[in-house]
Amino acid sequence: MKGRKPFMKKILTSALVLVATVSAVALGTSAYFSDTETSTNNTFTTGTIDISVDGENPWENIGHFDIADMKPSTVFHREVTLSNTGNNPVNLWKKVTDINYDGGEHPESELAEDPNDNINDIGSAIRYDMSLDGEEIIAESDNFVMDDGSNQLDNTTAIHGKYIYLGRIEPGMDMVVTQSYHMDASVTNWAQGDVMTFDVEFYAQQTSGGAPAPGDELAGHALGDLDYLDIGLMASADMLVHDAQGWMDDTGVTLDGNYGSRDGGETIAMVWGEAGTCTEPTRNATFQMNAGTAAASKLALRHLDGSGDDSFEVFVNGVSAGTYAADQTSSETWYTTEFDLPAGTTGALTVEIIFTADAWSGCGTWGQLALNWAQLVE
């Protein structure tokens, strides 16, 4: 046994040297196949939120709402056109601010009823109503007045300092806002000669993610907590939050498609048309929305009526909310279509869009039935 020990030590030493030698050879001769692609001149550009009023930007029309010689039972109308001159869709609000009662005249008939001129709040007796693009959204019977005050009419609500939600305007589109101001027939001589001044503010805010209101909103005329979905890339945060299923984003078909100028440059998604195929049963897509505690009455969809037949049906919580019959007299036109919901709809909603027409010749290349956004409406 003693004669074997030197032999074993020699073998172990040789093995260690061999391993070290092999490692050195491997490290010195290794190589890898590779390729490098470089994207240059990349740019981030911020979008714009911008509106004009009656073609003015900035709006400099001082005294646009001046009304002289107001008397009981008289009605005065004032109209403005709001235009989205930015490159993003916007939510719009209107607010009356800075009401002030200074100056005025004091004829004998007024002083006989108000000897110390303590009653000077005519805004509390001026009723207010509003129409958007010819559709009345605040009626005289809704009992809104301009301001709080001692002479406020019974069961009325003042609009002073409250944001009134007007709606959404796409880039390049207009909204006509018509307002009327009328002094109530019950007003007596205390109001003679009185003066009220006020400012009018139109506020535009980006819509992405369902923009919150900028401040206190008028009851019954608020954006509230109703949901908004920016329909775009499948991997976008908004699509994931709304559990979108079955959609194909535009990059899945072509990178240079026009799609009606993409509704002003928006990222869009298609209901039907995997790259190279338009086969069953892929003609439906879904997403989730939430009306919260607000009562939604309609679902608004922004969709493209393209070169093919882009007819579709909408289901909400498994019940048909209506159909859209494609306009075959034009091509590449974006429309906003509203679908009625059951009265008092609240909480979570599952929306399904089903393409109901035949595939057009370019479906496999371009897809079919593109949408931009969805919004619940009070």
Side-chain angles (χ1 to χ4, degrees):
M1 295 295 291
K2 289 182 179 180
R4 286 190 172 183
K5 288 183 178 178
F7 177 73
M8 293 180 66
K9 181 177 182 181
K10 184 176 180 178
I11 291 177
L12 289 172
T13 303
S14 298
L16 289 172
V17 172
L18 179 61
V19 172
T21 302
V22 173
S23 297
V25 171
L27 288 171
T29 61
S30 63
Y32 301 94
F33 293 140
S34 65
D35 180 34
T36 301
E37 304 291 343
T38 303
S39 174
T40 62
N41 297 323
N42 299 293
T43 303
F44 285 118
T45 303
T46 57
T48 58
I49 300 293
D50 199 11
I51 59 172
S52 66
V53 182
D54 289 339
E56 294 186 0
N57 191 0
W59 190 26
E60 297 178 347
N61 195 336
I62 299 173
H64 178 88
F65 296 93
D66 281 357
I67 298 174
D69 196 25
M70 179 170 271
K71 298 180 288 292
S73 299
T74 56
V75 180
F76 294 88
H77 297 273
R78 292 293 183 270
E79 181 178 287
V80 296
T81 299
L82 306 180
S83 305
N84 185 351
T85 55
N87 57 20
N88 287 277
V90 297
N91 282 322
L92 281 169
W93 288 264
K94 180 247 180 167
K95 182 170 72 168
V96 170
T97 65
D98 297 325
I99 285 182
N100 185 48
Y101 302 99
D102 285 327
E105 301 177 2
H106 306 290
E108 292 181 0
S109 52
E110 181 205 18
L111 295 176
E113 192 169 317
D114 181 21
N116 299 313
D117 190 35
N118 290 326
I119 307 174
N120 189 4
D121 50 9
I122 56 175
S124 63
I126 296 176
R127 295 185 181 272
Y128 176 84
D129 58 56
M130 175 192 288
S131 296
L132 301 179
D133 293 329
E135 181 179 351
E136 188 176 62
I137 66 167
I138 298 179
E140 179 179 354
S141 58
D142 293 335
N143 289 321
F144 285 102
V145 293
M146 292 288 290
D147 192 21
D148 292 312
S150 59
N151 292 281
Q152 189 171 16
L153 306 172
D154 292 338
N155 302 316
T156 54
T157 300
I159 66 169
H160 182 216
K162 301 291 185 180
Y163 284 97
I164 303 172
Y165 180 60
L166 305 180
R168 174 190 175 104
I169 305 185
E170 300 298 316
M173 302 300 287
D174 299 330
M175 174 187 289
V176 178
V177 183
T178 305
Q179 301 158 92
S180 73
Y181 306 84
H182 33 118
M183 182 169 282
D184 195 75
S186 64
V187 174
T188 57
N189 284 335
W190 63 263
Q192 283 202 45
D194 289 348
V195 174
M196 180 187 77
T197 61
F198 60 95
D199 294 340
V200 174
E201 172 185 308
F202 292 103
Y203 181 88
Q205 185 169 274
Q206 70 185 81
T207 61
S208 298
D216 292 336
E217 292 184 277
L218 187 66
H221 297 276
L223 178 61
D225 57 354
L226 294 175
D227 206 357
Y228 168 78
L229 167 60
D230 183 7
I231 299 174
L233 296 175
M234 280 297 298
S236 70
D238 214 13
M239 290 287 268
L240 293 174
V241 166
H242 288 81
D243 193 26
Q245 303 289 329
W247 294 86
M248 180 189 62
D249 63 58
D250 53 18
T251 57
V253 193
T254 178
L255 294 176
D256 58 1
N258 182 53
Y259 303 108
S261 300
R262 296 174 183 266
D263 200 18
E266 291 292 314
T267 303
I268 59 178
M270 258 72 65
V271 170
W272 201 29
E274 297 295 337
T277 63
C278 284
T279 59
E280 307 293 350
T282 60
R283 56 169 63 223
N284 65 312
T286 64
F287 54 87
Q288 303 289 322
M289 300 199 81
N290 199 320
T293 58
S297 64
K298 298 178 184 295
L299 169 68
L301 293 176
R302 184 72 171 176
H303 58 95
L304 176 65
D305 200 329
S307 300
D309 185 346
D310 287 320
S311 300
F312 62 93
E313 186 170 8
V314 178
F315 287 82
V316 179
N317 290 342
V319 178
S320 178
T323 60
Y324 173 78
D327 177 7
Q328 294 298 287
T329 62
S330 62
S331 62
E332 302 273 305
T333 302
W334 284 93
Y335 293 102
T336 300
T337 303
E338 292 186 341
F339 298 88
D340 291 331
L341 300 175
T345 296
T346 59
L349 307 173
T350 297
V351 180
E352 182 179 22
I353 312 296
I354 300 179
F355 174 67
T356 57
D358 294 330
W360 73 297
S361 59
C363 181
T365 302
W366 307 98
Q368 197 151 354
L369 187 53
L371 281 85
N372 184 353
W373 52 262
Q375 185 169 22
L376 295 175
V377 181
E378 242 180 328

